[in-house]
Amino acid sequence: MKLATLKNGTRDGRLLVVSRDLSKAVYASTIVDTMIEALENWATVEEPLQRRYEHLNEGMLKEAFAFDPSKVMAPLPRCYQFVDASAFLNHGNIMEEAYDLDVKKDKGIPILVQRQSDDFLGPCEDYPFITEEDNGDFEGEFAVVVDDMPMGLSAKQAEKHIKLVMILNDMSMRTHLFRELGMGFGFINAKPATVFGPVAVTPDELGDAWRDGRVHLDMQVKRNGEWFGNPNGGGMDFSFGQVLSHLTYNRNLKAGAIIGSGTVSSKEWKTVGSACLAERRALDKIEFGEFRTDFLHFGERLSFEVFGKDGQSVFGAIDHKMVKAS
């Protein structure tokens, strides 16, 4: 099924069930009011939500209305925990080569960072940042949302707790990144609010594109309407199950926790491009010995979208403009 959250003036919005082709929606409120409620009571609400989804797709619901992505929030507008991974090792390898970094990796252990979870942006909201000197950047990613998870799970066990899949633009302010890394702790100024696609989908909605804990579909990225890249999510070196297994080694995860994939990246970058400006700039330096790609400017428009094998948009599009914060 596909779910979204309609803006209604509250912090958690109103849960919608959205049709497969993203054209129609109905309120889920006779079953459950919000996305976090649904996730905390998934065993109870999954079946009735699924029935409503099927009836919506069959045209049986007179109360259905046109789905408008510009009127929705992030599918889960806030959560208790958001952890981002760097599960595409190619992205890190490119950055390390270009900037001559000495990163102490532990083979077999995914890189994770705790992220801001109380302020997400919707797919069509303008993105405000303070100054162009912050070197604004984008990162196209996939993410999963889980129900309650106990500690000590294997990767296979962890995958069973994945209830929803989403896309996101993990915004970065690169001016602050190396300073914060050099201080020995995580990101704060370098990683402001994250933007999520309009719709979250259950893994079964992806068909055979969801396998081995990965989304085997291209992340289509455009900058000002021009193609920037379409790397495939199937290239994750660590599956979502492996990331979750590591994360729950010695802690429980509560329903609604979000786990990001990290920048979608491919070794075939010459043909499939990138999903991140910093990666493209690093490739510029490797190939040409100089940076040829600018960081973000005010007024620029970014879009991120994923299409299924049937050619239909799976999650809807993130389509937003960079603006100066007032």
Side-chain angles (χ1 to χ4, degrees), residues 254-267:
K254 298 304 180 184
I258 297 173
I259 295 83
S261 66
T263 304
V264 182
S265 183
S266 172
K267 293 178 182 178

Side-chain angles (χ1 to χ4, degrees), residues 1-2 17-20 26 46-61 204-205:
M1 75 183 99
K2 298 190 177 187
V17 179
V18 183
S19 63
R20 181 170 286 113
V26 290
E46 180 183 17
E47 187 176 337
L49 286 174
Q50 182 66 40
R51 281 200 304 270
R52 179 160 295 188
Y53 178 65
E54 291 167 0
H55 291 163
L56 177 61
N57 287 319
E58 292 165 3
M60 296 171 60
L61 302 181
D204 63 290
E205 194 68 32

Side-chain angles (χ1 to χ4, degrees), residues 41 208 222:
N41 299 279
D208 64 4
K222 292 182 180 179

Side-chain angles (χ1 to χ4, degrees), residues 151-192:
M151 69 173 72
L153 296 179
S154 68
K156 190 173 182 179
Q157 290 170 328
E159 273 187 40
K160 295 178 181 178
H161 289 270
I162 295 172
K163 301 306 173 187
L164 297 170
V165 185
M166 305 185 292
I167 59 170
L168 62 100
N169 173 14
D170 175 30
M171 289 289 293
S172 299
M173 299 297 156
R174 297 292 178 183
T175 294
H176 306 283
L177 190 140
F178 287 117
R179 170 179 59 80
E180 292 185 330
L181 281 177
M183 293 171 71
F185 262 26
F187 305 124
I188 296 295
N189 293 144
K191 290 290 186 180

Side-chain angles (χ1 to χ4, degrees), residues 71-129:
K71 294 182 178 180
V72 302
M73 308 166 77
L76 182 57
R78 55 180 178 159
C79 68
Y80 300 112
Q81 181 154 223
F82 172 27
V83 174
D84 204 12
S86 184
F88 293 84
L89 297 182
N90 182 67
H91 174 72
N93 293 340
I94 289 170
M95 303 295 283
E96 289 160 32
E97 180 180 351
Y99 294 100
D100 193 26
L101 302 176
D102 182 20
V103 178
K104 296 177 176 61
K105 295 179 182 176
D106 196 331
K107 189 175 181 181
I109 296 180
I111 299 170
L112 303 176
V113 61
Q114 200 85 45
R115 292 295 312 282
Q116 171 186 347
S117 61
D118 59 341
D119 183 28
F120 298 144
L121 271 67
C124 302
E125 296 180 49
D126 288 346
Y127 196 97
F129 62 105

